[in-house]
Amino acid sequence: MTTTTPNTMTSPLFSTDYHVYINHTDAGGIVYHANHLVFFENCRRDWFTKLGLSGYFMHSDTGQVQHFVVSQAQLKYKKAILLDETIDVRIDNVELKPASIVFYQSIHRRLPTDTDTNHPPLQHTLLSSGKIVIACVQNQIKPEPSSTDGFSTQAATAPMQPIRVPEALHNTIQQAITQHSHNSDLYSQS
């Protein structure tokens, strides 16, 4: 099992910009607090796509549907995100666990720090950060008949079961983490 811990001093594993639209905000033009989770989710999905993964839904060799569910979310709000801003949403670090993936993510505001309009350097202001745990589960497609109503109570109350992160997915993410770590080491040595 490979584990990486959050380190805000290095470059993020993945970063992408999103524009803030009116549907993300409340009546005051401030991004609604739950939409921070939406931006984090979109960033994770975009990273998976960049890695060549087909998103959150996978099929086992037997045809079972495997996917991820958020099992824990811890957010820290620092500053308001405003209507019509462009924000930088990041995956700062990832921890691979046997049946889950822990994402350390952050949202930043870009502020020009120079008057050169051709290539202005950017300063990033932290707006929020989060630790999001996604658990790997498998749908239980066929409920087992057992009780008088024809279906087992267990199947009705537990339509998903936890499973290990599929090996191909684990290996792809591990390779991305290793490559990022290698590139960060090269950058810090130069």
Side-chain angles (χ1 to χ4, degrees):
M1 175 175 66
T2 302
T3 304
T4 59
T5 55
N7 180 354
T8 57
M9 298 308 289
T10 62
S11 65
L13 270 167
F14 180 74
S15 175
T16 189
D17 291 344
Y18 296 103
H19 189 78
V20 176
Y21 295 106
I22 190 77
N23 59 305
H24 297 126
T25 67
D26 59 18
I30 296 172
V31 169
Y32 182 67
H33 69 277
N35 281 332
H36 291 241
L37 287 169
V38 172
F39 286 120
F40 287 147
E41 176 82 22
N42 291 342
C43 182
R44 291 191 306 272
R45 172 62 191 234
D46 290 345
W47 186 56
F48 274 24
T49 300
K50 180 184 177 208
L51 294 177
L53 302 168
S54 63
Y56 286 134
F57 294 99
M58 302 155 284
H59 294 278
S60 71
D61 295 337
T62 62
Q64 297 282 358
V65 177
Q66 301 170 334
H67 58 100
F68 292 99
V69 294
V70 173
S71 64
Q72 181 183 11
Q74 298 173 349
L75 275 70
K76 194 177 279 190
Y77 301 99
K78 298 287 192 178
K79 297 183 180 187
I81 301 174
L82 306 173
L83 176 64
D84 289 332
E85 285 191 295
T86 299
I87 55 174
D88 177 32
V89 183
R90 301 175 180 183
I91 297 172
D92 298 307
N93 277 300
V94 173
E95 288 181 42
L96 287 169
K97 305 280 186 171
S100 63
I101 305 172
V102 181
F103 287 88
Y104 296 91
Q105 294 185 256
S106 57
I107 300 175
H108 299 260
R109 174 180 293 128
R110 295 176 176 235
L111 299 173
T113 59
D114 194 24
T115 56
D116 178 6
T117 56
N118 292 329
H119 301 335
L122 297 175
Q123 173 187 356
H124 291 84
T125 300
L126 179 64
L127 302 174
S128 67
S129 61
K131 175 184 174 184
I132 314 295
V133 180
I134 60 172
C136 194
V137 296
Q138 180 169 291
N139 287 2
Q140 305 220 332
I141 297 173
K142 298 176 185 174
E144 298 175 20
S146 67
S147 65
T148 57
D149 65 359
F151 296 100
S152 73
T153 308
Q154 182 181 15
T157 59
M160 296 178 279
Q161 69 181 22
I163 61 168
R164 294 182 71 82
V165 174
E167 186 176 354
L169 176 67
H170 182 279
N171 292 344
T172 299
I173 292 172
Q174 183 58 56
Q175 182 179 2
I177 292 169
T178 302
Q179 182 64 39
H180 178 264
S181 178
H182 176 72
N183 291 345
S184 295
D185 289 346
L186 289 176
Y187 179 74
S188 65
Q189 293 173 1
S190 57

